Amino acid sequence: MDITKLFDVAGKTALVTGGSGGIGYMIAEGLARAGCKVFIVSRKVAGITAAAERLSAFGSVTPIAADLGTAEGVAAVAAQVNAGTLNILVNNAGTTWGAPIDEFPREGFEKVLKLNLLAPFELTKSLLPALRAGATAEDPARVINIASIDGLKLPEWESYPYSATKSGLIHMTRHLGKFLAGENISVNAIAPGLFPSKMSDTIVDFSDPDAVAAMASPLGARVGTPEDISGAVLYLSSRAGAWLTGVTIPVGGGRGTVD
């Protein structure tokens, strides 16, 4: 056993969706710092370009502006990435919508469904040529779906499509993991707890210690850090996680263990 290589991902090519901020940015930074060539995808040109410029301080980072909620956006990413090999695909892009059930708009539910569940499936399907090219029996290509603790437990808010799609993503991870294993492609998920992001800013005031304390997990009143999420991604992407598929790792201080 070469313990120095156990979590090594240097030289691999990775793609992270929703990479312009929040958890996606944290993951992209972790992979770039670890020596990966990283593509980051987000809808807004200015945002993804600025993120890539900042991340380039840590390694090779290429921005792709595309709306993954559309077939055209998925096709645009596939056209660029399928020209080479892809070792790691992180399906992180997502959105939420909250409203009382009596007022919940159909368009809100459909928007969340398209980006949180349909887009990861369509992008994974479309990038299979590049994933197959980067896969071997000893070192499978990795698909990592970013779900949520709210896919494992009931949330505190009326965010019906968010929790439903994240729960669906967890089960789809198991389904894809079963059928892609024969092609040396593993599919796993991470279910993050509370991390700072534009999405979570709408429900928690991170500048208020009492608000953060109210979201305390069994491991204490704090929020997730780049090290927390990057560590899980590096585990699943490296030799250390090469014999896993169809699993979901909760990264939320134990919040997935409580109602």
Side-chain angles (χ1 to χ4, degrees):
M1 180 191 301
D2 185 353
I3 198 70
T4 65
K5 297 291 186 181
L6 194 57
F7 296 92
D8 184 19
V9 295
K12 291 191 174 187
T13 299
L15 185 147
V16 182
T17 69
S20 63
I23 288 177
Y25 186 94
M26 297 177 194
I27 292 170
E29 179 179 341
L31 290 169
R33 285 181 179 270
C36 288
K37 175 185 177 182
V38 182
F39 291 94
I40 55 173
V41 182
S42 191
R43 182 170 54 88
K44 296 181 180 179
V45 175
I48 199 67
T49 302
E53 289 176 356
R54 295 193 301 272
L55 288 168
S56 292
F58 311 118
S60 173
V61 179
T62 302
I64 304 176
D67 182 356
L68 296 176
T70 68
E72 294 78 11
V74 171
V77 174
Q80 183 165 343
V81 177
N82 280 334
T85 62
L86 184 63
N87 306 107
I88 305 161
L89 168 61
V90 182
N91 286 310
N92 166 74
T95 191
T96 190
W97 195 301
I101 189 169
D102 289 344
E103 304 169 14
F104 214 102
R106 181 184 180 92
E107 61 268 25
F109 205 107
E110 290 178 344
K111 177 182 178 181
V112 177
L113 180 63
K114 285 180 181 179
L115 189 57
N116 289 13
L117 194 56
L118 181 59
F121 178 80
E122 287 294 307
L123 189 61
T124 301
K125 180 181 74 173
S126 297
L127 292 177
L128 282 175
L131 289 165
R132 287 167 176 147
T136 67
E138 296 75 22
D139 189 13
R142 320 297 169 89
V143 177
I144 302 172
N145 294 321
I146 305 302
S148 171
I149 288 294
D150 286 355
L152 297 172
K153 61 182 289 294
L154 288 174
E156 289 81 3
W157 308 277
E158 289 188 274
S159 50
Y160 301 104
Y162 182 78
S163 58
T165 54
K166 292 302 185 177
S167 182
L169 185 59
I170 288 169
H171 197 68
M172 189 171 75
T173 295
R174 298 176 64 203
H175 202 163
L176 288 170
K178 175 181 179 178
F179 285 95
L180 291 178
E183 300 196 57
N184 298 318
I185 299 172
S186 71
V187 187
N188 295 295
I190 297 172
L194 185 62
F195 281 76
S197 69
K198 287 183 179 180
M199 186 186 303
S200 56
D201 280 345
T202 64
I203 55 174
V204 178
D205 180 0
F206 288 97
S207 65
D208 181 357
D210 291 335
V212 173
M215 300 297 295
S217 71
L219 284 179
R222 75 167 177 88
V223 297
T225 67
E227 291 84 356
D228 294 322
I229 195 68
S230 294
V233 169
L234 290 174
Y235 169 57
L236 291 175
S237 302
S238 64
R239 173 61 187 88
W243 211 39
L244 280 76
T245 196
V247 306
T248 297
I249 301 176
V251 180
R255 280 189 60 80
T257 67
V258 296
D259 292 332

